[in-house]
Amino acid sequence: MSRYTDDLAKGLGLHNVVEIARRYDCPVISFRTAHAHAQGHWDYRAEVNVWRDDRWRRKTLRAHTGVGLTEKRVANLELAQRWVADHLDYAGEWAPTGLPNSWMPKDAKDRMTADLKTWRQAQCQAAKEN
């Protein structure tokens, strides 16, 4: 994919939004277009993944507005952000996770970026020592 996502996988063991949500104890919003069970059918939706009460919780939300893909994506993202603000009491700023079509709270993203930076520095230090 990209160096960033490769480093997330190799350095932090984060391969998907569920692992990000669990490690940083935060909600992660994903935008999906393909139907989960019927190949070739479209199902535009936002999914909120969160680890609560020692188990995974996923809330699927559908905004039935917009004509184009970009409009549907924006409408679903806004709907998911409102749901998180109402039900999980988070109304802060959102940032892309680095994975396709997914967002996480900016403060959690800053922690993830700091962890990745620390891992990269350790890799550089180990390379210098060899």
Side-chain angles (χ1 to χ4, degrees):
M1 293 187 87
S2 70
R3 179 176 177 241
Y4 183 78
T5 55
D6 290 345
D7 285 356
L8 279 180
K10 187 176 179 183
L12 302 180
L14 302 173
H15 300 92
N16 56 46
V17 295
V18 173
E19 291 172 350
I20 291 172
R22 185 171 187 179
R23 178 166 181 165
Y24 293 100
D25 191 30
C26 66
V28 178
I29 298 171
S30 301
F31 175 67
R32 309 277 184 193
T33 58
H35 191 281
H37 307 291
Q39 261 185 329
H41 292 275
W42 300 107
D43 180 20
Y44 302 101
R45 66 195 183 281
E47 293 177 348
V48 178
N49 291 289
V50 65
W51 178 260
R52 290 284 187 255
D53 303 324
D54 293 328
R55 67 183 186 131
W56 286 114
R57 300 194 185 237
R58 176 181 293 147
K59 176 67 175 173
T60 301
L61 303 158
R62 290 176 178 84
H64 299 286
T65 59
V67 177
L69 179 61
T70 302
E71 291 172 1
K72 290 179 185 295
R73 181 177 181 236
V74 169
N76 278 283
L77 176 60
E78 290 172 354
L79 178 64
Q81 288 173 343
R82 282 194 309 269
W83 187 88
V84 168
D86 292 344
H87 292 87
L88 301 177
D89 296 326
Y90 178 80
E93 191 176 344
W94 291 84
T97 63
L99 300 175
N101 291 314
S102 59
W103 300 264
M104 65 192 297
K106 187 167 182 347
D107 59 335
K109 170 69 181 244
D110 293 341
R111 286 185 285 142
M112 185 171 76
T113 303
D115 290 347
L116 189 60
K117 183 178 179 180
T118 301
W119 178 79
R120 285 177 173 167
Q121 288 173 344
Q123 293 299 106
C124 287
Q125 186 65 28
K128 287 179 185 177
E129 290 174 0
N130 290 334

